[in-house]
Amino acid sequence: MLHGYIPPHRFLPYLSWTEIAALPDRENTVIVLPCGAIEQHGPHLPCSVDSVIASGVMGKALEKLPAEVRAFALPTITYGKSEEHLHFPGTMTLTGTTLLSTVTEIGESVYRAGFRKLLFANGHGGQPQVLEMAARELRLRHGDFVVVPHGVSRLPNASSKQISEQEKRLSMHAGHSETALMLALAPDTVHMERAAANFPPPFPIKLLSADGRPACAWTARDFGPSGVIGDPTSATREQGIEILETLSDSWVQALTELHALRWVVREEPTWERGHQQGFIQPSFTPA
């Protein structure tokens, strides 16, 4: 079914338009848009990793969410901005412009339906800037819209205690944590017999990169033919389940607090892309 990892009762498209129109407290109901990608993740993982993790983590969080916390998910965006993986078959990419337009127009549809809180739950490291730009554009257009772009895996979870210092510093793609999560969410798609470690050389300019991560632009092919940037070899399903449970617990807290959030409302007409008129702050004297 279309909902995938999302609990059916938390899946907004399963409601009719009349049911959506009748929802109470739409202005504080949190709408979750998981954002993934279809791109290579080495020989041992499927190309669907980022989409599976984005929808799987948020689905688990919505499953645990208390009934009184109103939140619904939209279908996961499964195509992302993945040009850094174009050298590998199976990578499907949108341009940044296309993704920006897509999420902005989805955001407009969310707003038009009467909702005022939207979370871009991002599972792909190559597109946070695009989602941040979309969130800012939507906020410029609508002074009562709360739009949060955030990485799915960037909340407290058990992965930090499972991985080596080298993995913490240099892993960026198809390493331990992604592999462990896929073993928890979609074990039949993982081939651990093909897993092998591969790290980029530490970036030599300390002023630009204290931890050695590349400070210059890169593509996955820059670091070798496997597409892996990290060490997946020690990942286990048990570790993945622990990451999934702790990460989803963090998202339950975040969604609960986002539902309760009361943020600044701006009523003045705004400037936005293509608009020639908007509010300019007049002279201001501090109190």
Side-chain angles (χ1 to χ4, degrees):
M1 292 292 287
L2 184 61
H3 63 273
Y5 293 95
I6 307 298
H9 69 285
R10 294 283 191 178
F11 195 59
L12 190 69
Y14 284 171
L15 300 180
S16 69
W17 78 262
T18 54
E19 290 172 321
I20 292 173
L23 287 173
D25 198 26
R26 273 179 293 168
E27 64 272 18
N28 291 307
T29 297
V30 181
I31 301 300
V32 178
L33 178 62
C35 301
I38 303 296
E39 60 182 37
Q40 73 82 21
H41 273 75
H44 69 293
L45 291 177
C47 293
S48 59
V49 167
D50 294 343
S51 295
V52 169
I53 289 176
S55 57
V57 170
M58 299 315 299
K60 177 62 73 171
L62 289 167
E63 179 185 300
K64 295 178 177 180
L65 199 65
E68 64 270 18
V69 179
R70 303 194 62 80
F72 293 93
L74 293 170
T76 300
I77 295 180
T78 55
Y79 298 104
K81 180 182 178 294
S82 299
E83 292 105 325
E84 69 270 31
H85 301 286
L86 279 178
H87 301 94
F88 299 87
T91 296
M92 307 292 164
T93 188
L94 306 177
T95 64
T97 302
T98 300
L99 181 61
L100 178 62
S101 295
T102 299
V103 295
T104 302
E105 290 172 21
I106 291 172
E108 286 285 6
S109 298
V110 168
Y111 187 90
R112 191 164 54 247
F115 300 105
R116 297 295 181 264
K117 293 180 178 179
L118 174 61
L119 169 68
F120 295 144
N122 181 36
H124 168 43
Q127 62 197 21
Q129 298 85 353
V130 177
L131 301 180
E132 290 165 4
M133 290 168 65
R136 182 63 56 81
E137 175 73 14
L138 290 165
R139 178 64 184 183
L140 281 170
R141 294 181 184 185
H142 306 293
D144 58 346
F145 207 4
V146 178
V147 187
V148 178
H150 206 285
V152 165
S153 298
R154 294 188 177 276
L155 291 186
N157 66 86
S159 64
S160 60
K161 72 178 185 180
Q162 298 176 1
I163 59 177
S164 68
E165 288 302 314
Q166 184 184 30
E167 185 83 357
K168 290 178 182 178
R169 290 196 314 274
L170 298 176
S171 179
M172 295 183 287
H173 192 71
H176 181 280
S177 297
E178 284 189 320
T179 301
L181 273 170
M182 288 301 291
L183 285 168
L185 289 167
D188 292 346
T189 68
V190 182
H191 302 278
M192 289 303 294
E193 71 278 7
R194 305 176 194 165
N198 179 62
F199 287 99
F203 196 74
I205 305 175
K206 293 292 186 183
L207 284 176
L208 297 179
S209 177
D211 59 5
R213 294 173 73 87
C216 56
W218 55 268
T219 76
R221 186 62 182 83
D222 294 338
F223 306 130
S226 75
V228 173
I229 311 172
D231 184 0
T233 57
S234 63
T236 67
R237 177 172 167 80
E238 290 71 27
Q239 290 173 329
I241 291 171
E242 185 180 22
I243 295 172
L244 180 61
E245 291 297 331
T246 53
L247 188 54
S248 59
D249 285 345
S250 290
W251 274 111
V252 168
Q253 178 180 341
L255 289 169
T256 300
E257 294 181 3
L258 184 55
H259 175 259
L261 175 69
R262 301 297 180 265
W263 192 240
V264 175
V265 173
R266 187 194 68 250
E267 297 180 352
E268 299 88 354
T270 193
W271 302 90
E272 55 154 308
R273 191 166 40 179
H275 277 203
Q276 303 306 314
Q277 295 183 348
F279 175 78
I280 296 294
Q281 179 67 43
S283 59
F284 172 73
T285 303

